Amino acid sequence: MGFKKKNRHVGIVGIGETKFSSHREDVNQPEMIHEAVKDALEDAGLTMDDIDCVVHGNMELFEMVHQPDLWHTLGTGARGKDAFRLTTGGTTGGTLVGAADNLVAAGMYDTVLAIGFEKLQEGHTTGGITNMADPLWARKLQSGALTDSAAVKAIAEFGPDRAKKAAMLYRIIMDKHACLNPNSHRAFGLDWDQMADLMENSPPLIGDLRLIHMCSQSDGACAMILSSEEKAKQQCDHPVWIRDHITIHREETLNLCVNHYPNETTHRFAARHLYERNGITDPLDYFDVFEMYDPSAWWGADWIRDFFLLEGDAHYRLIEEKEIMRGGKMPINPSGGVLAANPIGATAMVRVAEAAKQVRGNAGPHQIPGTVNHAIASSFGGTMWTILIMLEKELNW
Amino acid sequence: MTRNVSICAMAQIKNQPAIWQHRFQGMLMECFESIMEQTQVTFDMDTGLRNVVTCSDDVFDARTISDAAVTDVVGAHFRGEEKVAQDGISALGYAMACILSGHDDLILVMGHCKESQSESRNMCTNLSFDPFYSRPLGLDYLNAAAFQARAYMEETGLTDAHLADIVVRSRQNGAHTRHARENEQVTAKEVMASPLVADPIRQMHHYPVTDWAVGFLLCCEERAHEFTDNPVRLTGFGSCMDSYFLGDRDLTAHFALKKACARAYTMAGITDPEKELDLVELNDACAYQLPLWAEGIGITGKARGPKWMEAGGMDKHHVNLSGGMLNGNPLMLGGLARAAYGFTQLQGTAGINQVTGLQRALAHGTTGAAGQHHAVLILEK
Amino acid sequence: MEKEMNVTDNDNFDTMADQELIVLRKTISVDQKFATGPVMGKFLTALKDKRILAIQCPECGRLQSPPREMCAICRVRNREWVEIGPRGEMRMMEYCYYSSPDPLTGESRETPYGAIGILLDGCQKEEVFWHLLRPEHLEMVEMGIVMGDRVTRGTRLRPVWAQERSGSIDDIKYFEIDE
């Protein structure tokens, strides 16, 4: 039986993002969402009349709103539409794109609007994430998404000098990308000569994970409009096609040794299955850009190896030779990635949105040089959960 | 659409006032083990389950990413898992889409809710309102329902006696339904003497606090025979969102429910619901909602609810033979409970209340205050 | 380090220049009654007697402590119990400088503290136990590391039990150097 072709093709026809910021007191939640929805509709040249179904997601305990899609109807435009709410932690934005893709491919809806948002200013983010832990045990021990397990692993494998330099080099490359993206929440203007200083003096959070390595807590929303092939071709000159997506979760974490032993991670497992079923033998060669959900520079640097099925220090060499920069062999996060902005329920969707903009060639100041035919975006959340979404410029696979 | 979707198996635990002896993980595990035993389904990446759709809620579980707590007990370790965080009937609707899209052949749907864990479900639903205006006013799903109940009674002449009849019948039917919450049988007089909790809603008019978990195995129709001899097809789904502020809505106008039904009926090829639906399961968190939603889905006319009841409409249309949500299912799972009962009826295993010659059933779910969001699912033999 | 954006400087937010923006501050609290279930319940009860239990998967044999109803890998119910530790070897430490709140109490944790993974005696590979290190010992411990064939041993640790034990994570105050 195996993996089948989609019932029908699905294209991205509209993308909207708010400016990402540490604080948006000037708008309430539905108003902020409305900015992204309006932006996506304008981008697609559509109105709410063209939308059949609205899919919404975030995490309730960050803002302490139960089923917020109900209130947010004021800003989503969902009144009179079919409406779903899906949430899967940090992966939510990827889940929403995958769900919208499924809903359109199924033939149930022709045009679906997917909306991810978070207003992290309105709650305590680390407290909110710690709340995911089991109340009988780990809630006492966990500190949000902060962990230096990736640093411990990298230092054990590559030695402290090389590992710390690779993480900081990754961080500065991301900042250089973020400085070109007008939507960035954090764009510091870091330069290479600051590496030594940052490695010593950035405030430590946990072990070798320092403040400079970690993603931000942002307010913001992202909206994407997906249509069936027939509709997409009417609505848009150059839809970006969603080729395939895969979601891989893993069990709840009740110990700290995750990834400490060299077994297969969710990232590698997801990538291996996705590439196999789509006949991609050399992902580093195939893809033209990668938008990764990189919650910290340590994780980002480490995960390149798994997502591209690399071995040994191949991922470090990509970083050290700056091949992950715009213009390099595999540009990673030309948007600046999650280190530049992290409105959690939107973050994973922003990865897909930014990858799609790169395919369209109109990402703005951070558009990478050359043609982007094949793009991939990742989502991260929960207890090392991963989603990969493949985008294509042409319908030719 | 090129494929059809079937439910091959369903497993549930008993609806209970407080499952103090289990974590919700233990509740789900029993459902999971039953589905594995009934179907022998595997998690093979090519031919087995690659994706699980769960239904739960962070506020009711008091856990951020509530689905992170259940990955192991729904079998989703190193497989996909997607949580639908609204009434569970939408989880079935979404699972249908996963299969119709061609992305998956099989989907496991697993839902849980433990209402007894929080000190007050009304404090939880109060959090669904905007923090500036409606929340400080003290709105929750119960007192929002009271506004709707009053409007509906004013419009149609529905009386306290009608509501008592619905409660008495719900408890009689509940007593005949396997896995239903065990409630005392009551007389109409006792219902009318039960205390008002949000005028005009009395305590017995409102579903009791309940803990429950349920699972379904969905499959593309061409492979259903691998897992069951007695599949039930899902042939229609539709949902619709209404306005947020209660004052922006006509609370008895059925704006969202009618649209949700129109889409589901079109998909299932239904033109006359009054004649073509053999069994109806409505998500009646409060007694007044049974005739109100019956109007909305079109088995009786606008404002005709009380007359329809008096003419024996509830039994004639086989409405809520399960006892309905009113007999006790937790929030989030009201719609999944309706679908679960529709499934047993269409399989012919509903027991004393089994209806003969059934072909088609409607299961309804609703999310939000006074039915802000409605979803309906059509099940067929 | 962190450059804060100034709202009024940004072109996207141009409408509110003269308006006072009001922020409502609320602490939201709904009391919860968490069930332990029979599996977690047995584990917590044993802590009262200063015993640490693990549950074992009938198929792959892996131990889990705290225990869970099922083995996620084999998708089967765990049934057998094994007593582990209480002494063990430190395999992982999160040296926490960031003062995060305990969501069950709302109180901020005192920093620095060490959240540690201990390979209790009787366990292997990833079967580590998650708890806290005695704060005075933060600078005195080594974590053991396993990278393929490379194995280094971590500091031996033992639990320090609370005087009053009620069947909760607090029954163990922390782990300290076992010498």
Side-chain angles (χ1 to χ4, degrees), chain C residues 71-89:
Chain C
C71 173
I73 297 167
C74 304
R75 300 188 175 88
V76 295
R77 188 189 287 240
N78 296 320
R79 293 183 190 278
E80 296 300 316
W81 290 89
V82 178
E83 186 169 347
I84 55 173
R87 290 172 155 80
E89 175 201 332

Side-chain angles (χ1 to χ4, degrees), chain A residues 4 7 60 66-67 70 79-85 87 102 128 132 134 139 245 247 249 251-252, chain B residues 2 23 57 62-64 77-79 83 85-86 94 101 103 105 127-128 239 241 243 263 372-373:
Chain A
K4 292 189 181 62
N7 178 50
E60 296 186 350
H66 172 54
Q67 294 177 342
L70 301 166
R79 180 179 183 268
K81 312 291 179 189
D82 278 64
F84 289 88
R85 175 170 157 75
T87 84
N102 287 341
M132 72 182 279
D134 188 292
R139 213 170 279 190
H245 51 88
T247 300
H249 284 194
E251 64 181 326
E252 184 184 358
Chain B
T2 54
R23 303 200 299 160
D57 178 77
R63 282 186 84 136
T64 300
H77 184 62
F78 276 80
R79 295 294 179 274
K83 180 178 94 178
Q86 58 190 151
Y94 176 62
S101 70
H103 199 265
D105 282 355
L127 295 177
S128 75
S239 78
M241 183 67 86
S243 306
R263 288 170 198 141
Q372 187 183 340
H373 179 265

Side-chain angles (χ1 to χ4, degrees), chain A residues 261-294:
Chain A
Y261 291 86
N263 52 6
E264 190 172 39
T265 63
T266 48
H267 302 330
R268 188 172 285 260
F269 184 91
R272 190 163 56 78
H273 281 275
L274 185 74
Y275 304 154
E276 264 172 28
R277 74 194 191 195
N278 287 284
I280 290 159
T281 49
D282 184 353
L284 208 53
D285 183 57
Y286 184 80
F287 293 106
D288 301 313
V289 69
F290 177 32
E291 274 286 335
M292 174 173 30
Y293 193 128
D294 53 346

